[in-house]
Amino acid sequence: MVQVVALVFAGAFFVFGGMVLSRASDLGGRRETIDELASAGDERIESGGEATISGPVHVLEPASPTRTGPDPNGGDSAALWAWRVRQKESTGNGSRWRTAESELAVGEFAVDHSWDRVRVDATTLATDADDDPFDSSGLFLGDPDIESYLGDLGPVNRFLEQTGLASEDGVVSDLEFTVSVGGKTTMPDKYQATVVRDGDELVVRGELTETGDGYVLRGTEETPLVVATGSLEEQREQVRSEVRLRQAAGGMLVGLGLLVAVIAVL
């Protein structure tokens, strides 16, 4: 009986370790995409295949987000508006942030690449209401540029937030210092967003075609549209760190599973 229980635990370690390593592999693919986008030059483009363009955005028709946060900046010049509402909820051994609402609002825009103005058909980037655009495989937005709480912080949580200790990447981000009610905590929700406006730099990869009105870049099944903004170098380092962490954690879990299995068999 003891041997069976030990083998069950070993199997659980193997399963969880495999899941963590699988996620690390997915992140490795994301890192490769960032590397490819970062290496894109400003050479002239030709229609009829995959192309990566980069340059300032020219908004043709602004995006219309359904929510612009407590301090709206106006969406008149937004090519893309990605936002989410993060909510802190209680768990069995602490608390965690989760996405409660989100949206990617897409306008009509072009990118001035070298001497060419390329219109981007970004309709394929539209995400479902439950999809977090900051986790989308086709979007590389980095950390949100805008963040504001949708309520008042208590004195302890305000101090921890100001020092960075209780931010989502902070040392005590999984702790809650106020009373929790049911599955929710008294930590206020927060609105986060990244807005790409007229003149901002953008990197876009997709399939390039030439029409009577000029070049158009769009996503296809073979070449999904990929859009990146912000510092690709910072995003690359963040992904690298997370890959290393998950590889170490996954390897440790698999190793524990192997150790428990060997002990059980002996």
Side-chain angles (χ1 to χ4, degrees), residues 1-234:
M1 182 63 182
V2 174
Q3 186 181 49
V4 172
V5 173
L7 290 174
V8 169
F9 274 102
F13 281 129
F14 278 125
V15 170
F16 285 116
M19 292 172 59
V20 173
L21 290 174
S22 175
R23 177 55 179 162
S25 178
D26 293 340
L27 287 172
R30 190 170 178 85
R31 183 187 60 192
E32 290 177 5
T33 301
I34 293 175
D35 290 338
E36 293 169 1
L37 294 174
S39 64
D42 58 357
E43 64 273 4
R44 291 190 64 85
I45 52 178
E46 296 182 1
S47 63
E50 180 181 306
T52 301
I53 61 174
S54 61
V57 171
H58 177 71
V59 177
L60 306 173
E61 184 69 29
S64 300
T66 58
R67 190 166 186 172
T68 57
D71 300 312
N73 297 320
D76 293 342
S77 62
L80 296 172
W81 193 304
W83 67 267
R84 66 184 180 185
V85 172
R86 300 284 278 174
Q87 188 177 84
K88 202 168 191 183
E89 64 177 8
S90 297
T91 62
N93 54 2
S95 59
R96 66 183 179 91
W97 289 99
R98 72 173 187 89
T99 299
E101 300 176 63
S102 61
E103 180 191 22
L104 174 67
V106 179
E108 295 183 14
F109 61 94
V111 173
D112 291 336
H113 175 84
S114 187
W115 298 100
D116 301 300
R117 173 162 289 180
V118 182
R119 186 170 65 85
V120 178
D121 181 358
T123 54
T124 57
L125 283 176
T127 59
D128 296 332
D130 296 332
D131 291 339
D132 188 333
F134 293 92
D135 291 335
S136 171
S137 60
L139 291 169
F140 294 80
L141 305 175
D143 294 328
D145 295 331
I146 301 168
E147 180 174 289
S148 54
Y149 282 98
L150 304 177
D152 296 327
L153 285 167
V156 175
N157 283 311
R158 185 184 301 111
F159 168 76
L160 293 173
E161 189 68 24
Q162 290 173 346
T163 57
L165 294 173
S167 64
E168 293 194 35
D169 296 323
V171 176
V172 294
S173 62
D174 59 339
L175 299 181
E176 174 59 34
F177 290 89
T178 51
V179 179
S180 63
V181 181
K184 291 188 62 177
T185 71
T186 56
M187 189 79 164
D189 298 350
K190 57 184 174 183
Y191 175 90
Q192 297 178 328
T194 288
V195 184
V196 178
R197 299 186 180 278
D198 198 283
D200 289 347
E201 292 288 324
L202 205 62
V203 181
V204 189
R205 186 178 70 187
E207 186 171 293
L208 187 71
T209 59
E210 189 170 8
T211 69
D213 297 326
Y215 289 115
V216 178
L217 193 71
R218 56 171 56 92
T220 64
E221 284 191 18
E222 296 78 16
T223 310
L225 197 67
V226 176
V227 173
T229 186
S231 171
L232 288 175
E233 184 59 35
E234 288 182 5

